[in-house]
mmCIF file of all heavy atoms in Angstrom:
data_model
loop_
_atom_site.group_PDB
_atom_site.id
_atom_site.type_symbol
_atom_site.label_atom_id
_atom_site.label_comp_id
_atom_site.label_asym_id
_atom_site.label_seq_id
_atom_site.Cartn_x
_atom_site.Cartn_y
_atom_site.Cartn_z
ATOM 1 N N ILE A 183 -12.789 13.524 -22.536
ATOM 2 C CA ILE A 183 -12.866 12.740 -21.294
ATOM 3 C C ILE A 183 -12.644 13.676 -20.102
ATOM 4 O O ILE A 183 -11.684 14.452 -20.094
ATOM 5 C CB ILE A 183 -11.798 11.611 -21.313
ATOM 6 C CG1 ILE A 183 -12.170 10.580 -22.382
ATOM 7 C CG2 ILE A 183 -11.640 10.968 -19.935
ATOM 8 C CD1 ILE A 183 -11.079 9.579 -22.696
ATOM 9 N N GLN A 248 21.131 0.875 12.117
ATOM 10 C CA GLN A 248 22.395 1.468 12.590
ATOM 11 C C GLN A 248 23.153 0.536 13.527
ATOM 12 O O GLN A 248 24.355 0.355 13.413
ATOM 13 C CB GLN A 248 22.111 2.781 13.335
ATOM 14 C CG GLN A 248 21.713 3.924 12.421
ATOM 15 C CD GLN A 248 21.433 5.205 13.199
ATOM 16 O OE1 GLN A 248 21.448 5.230 14.435
ATOM 17 N NE2 GLN A 248 21.182 6.288 12.470
ATOM 18 N N HIS A 298 5.783 -21.690 5.057
ATOM 19 C CA HIS A 298 6.177 -22.853 4.272
ATOM 20 C C HIS A 298 7.039 -22.447 3.086
ATOM 21 O O HIS A 298 7.129 -23.172 2.095
ATOM 22 C CB HIS A 298 4.914 -23.597 3.820
ATOM 23 C CG HIS A 298 4.003 -23.878 4.978
ATOM 24 N ND1 HIS A 298 4.288 -24.834 5.933
ATOM 25 C CD2 HIS A 298 2.866 -23.240 5.405
ATOM 26 C CE1 HIS A 298 3.342 -24.818 6.863
ATOM 27 N NE2 HIS A 298 2.478 -23.850 6.564
ATOM 28 N N GLN A 323 -13.467 -18.112 14.151
ATOM 29 C CA GLN A 323 -13.939 -17.847 12.787
ATOM 30 C C GLN A 323 -13.733 -19.059 11.881
ATOM 31 O O GLN A 323 -12.795 -19.826 12.067
ATOM 32 C CB GLN A 323 -13.199 -16.645 12.201
ATOM 33 C CG GLN A 323 -13.501 -15.337 12.920
ATOM 34 C CD GLN A 323 -12.656 -14.188 12.395
ATOM 35 O OE1 GLN A 323 -12.152 -14.229 11.278
ATOM 36 N NE2 GLN A 323 -12.488 -13.158 13.206
ATOM 37 N N ASP A 405 10.634 12.335 -2.628
ATOM 38 C CA ASP A 405 11.058 12.276 -4.038
ATOM 39 C C ASP A 405 11.510 10.860 -4.397
ATOM 40 O O ASP A 405 11.561 9.973 -3.547
ATOM 41 C CB ASP A 405 12.144 13.319 -4.338
ATOM 42 C CG ASP A 405 13.456 13.014 -3.618
ATOM 43 O OD1 ASP A 405 13.514 12.009 -2.879
ATOM 44 O OD2 ASP A 405 14.417 13.774 -3.795
#
Side-chain angles (χ1 to χ4, degrees):
I183 292 168
Q248 287 180 355
H298 308 287
Q323 294 175 22
D405 67 359

